Amino acid sequence: MGTFLVNIIGCFIIGLFFGLLEKAHVMTPGENVLLITGFCGGFTTFSSFADDMWVLGSKGDWGTFVIYLALSVVLGVLLVWGGRALIR
């Protein structure tokens, strides 16, 4: 239920920001990236990840917890590095 609520609230906030951008042009492209992609994307995605981690920990599934955490962080950073390196 928690992940669901965060995701629908995030969708609503994204709708508000896009509406402001389209109707009133009150946001610059940089603010658009910061608020829509950065804030809303991080808000919904990270909270879902954190909830997954909590559920695994509360079940005592420490092996999966550690693997999921390590792979998410390490692979995520490596893929960012790889993508940036590819563009150079």
Side-chain angles (χ1 to χ4, degrees), residues 46 49-50 52-53 56 64-80:
F46 185 75
F49 170 74
D52 289 345
M53 298 305 296
L56 290 169
T64 305
F65 180 97
V66 169
I67 291 168
Y68 184 26
L69 177 64
L71 283 177
S72 295
V73 173
V74 173
L75 206 54
V77 171
L78 286 174
L79 289 171
V80 167

Side-chain angles (χ1 to χ4, degrees), residues 1-17:
M1 182 54 98
T3 300
F4 171 75
L5 290 175
V6 166
N7 285 333
I8 61 169
I9 290 168
C11 290
F12 179 69
I13 292 170
I14 286 173
L16 290 175
F17 288 153

